Amino acid sequence: MSPDATVEEVVRHQLAKALGGVRGMLEAAVPTISFTIAFLTTHRLWLAVGLSVAAATVLLIVRLVQRTSVQFVMNAFVGIAIGAFFAWRAARAGGDATSQALAYFLPGILINTGYAVVMILSILLRHPLVGYIVGSVAHHPTQWRQDPALVKLCSRLTWVMAVPMILRAGVLGGLYLAGTSGAMQASTAIASLGVAKLALGWPLVVAGLFVMVWLLTRDKTPVTAQTHVIED
C-alpha cells in the first residue's frame, strides 16, 4: 500500500484479506442457504444436508481447478458437519425428523452466542477482536495495540461484527426454545428458523459491511510507525 495510507485504509485492506472478500463470504453462505431452502421445500433433513454438501463440493472443485485458497469452502464443510452431528445425536436420542431439524440449527445459535460474548468482552477489556484478526493476517498479532487510533477503530469494527451475532443469537435462540418447549409448533419453529437464518444472514452481513465501509472511509487518521509494521 501507499506510504501515505491512513489507518482506515490499512485496516480495510487487512479485513478484506481476512474475510476473503465477497467471494469468500458467498462460499461460506451458499451451503447454508441450500440447506434452508431444501428443508423448507421438502421437509427431508438428510436430503437438505446432502444438497448443502453438494453445493460446497461444487465450490471446492471450482477453487481447486483455479488453484486458489479453499479456506472459506472448508469452513462451510465444517459448519455442515457440526450441524449434521447435532442432528444425528438427536436421532440417536429418539428424536423425530422435526427434533433432528431443530438440532441442526443449534450449533449456529451457540456459535453466534459464543462469538458475541467474546467480542463484547474483548471490547470491554480493550483488546477488540477485529484487531487480532487484522494483526494475524498481517503476521503481527499484537503490534496494533501500540497505536491508540487502531485500538479505537478496531473496537468500533468489533461492535459492528458483534451486533448481528447478538441479533441472530436472540432471535434464533428464541425460536429454537419455542420449538423445543412446545410454545410453538415444531414444524412452524423449523420454518421460522430457516427464514430467520436467511433474513438475519446476508442482509445483516451487507448492512454490517456498509457500516464498516463508512467507518473506514469517513476518517483519515494518520498512520504511525506501528501501523506501518501491521501494513507490511
Side-chain angles (χ1 to χ4, degrees), residues 194-219:
V195 173
K197 191 167 185 177
L198 287 176
L200 297 174
W202 272 106
L204 285 184
V205 170
V206 172
L209 287 175
F210 271 116
V211 175
M212 282 188 171
V213 169
W214 176 70
L215 286 173
L216 292 169
T217 55
R218 67 169 187 163
D219 296 326

Side-chain angles (χ1 to χ4, degrees), residues 39 45-46 87 90-103 186-187 190:
F39 186 81
L45 176 66
W46 295 109
R92 285 286 300 271
D96 57 15
T98 56
S99 297
Q100 295 169 39
L102 283 170
S187 58
I190 294 168

Side-chain angles (χ1 to χ4, degrees), residues 61-143:
I61 292 172
V62 171
R63 280 287 194 177
L64 292 173
V65 170
Q66 295 178 339
R67 297 180 182 275
T68 54
S69 173
V70 299
Q71 173 187 349
F72 299 97
V73 179
M74 297 310 297
N75 289 346
F77 276 112
V78 171
I80 294 168
I82 294 174
F85 174 73
F86 272 66
W88 174 77
R89 282 180 59 89
R92 285 286 300 271
D96 57 15
T98 56
S99 297
Q100 295 169 39
L102 283 170
Y104 186 88
F105 287 100
L106 183 57
I109 297 169
L110 296 177
I111 289 170
N112 275 282
T113 302
Y115 273 130
V117 170
V118 169
M119 287 184 179
I120 293 171
L121 286 176
S122 76
I123 296 167
L124 295 176
L125 296 173
R126 295 189 59 77
H127 285 262
L129 188 61
V130 168
Y132 289 99
I133 295 173
V134 172
S136 63
V137 172
H139 307 295
H140 295 283
T142 60
Q143 190 74 33

Side-chain angles (χ1 to χ4, degrees), residues 1-24:
M1 291 182 67
S2 166
D4 297 324
T6 63
V7 166
E8 288 76 19
E9 289 171 337
V10 172
V11 174
R12 185 165 66 244
H13 175 70
Q14 298 298 348
L15 271 178
K17 290 168 63 177
L19 296 174
V22 174
R23 181 174 180 179

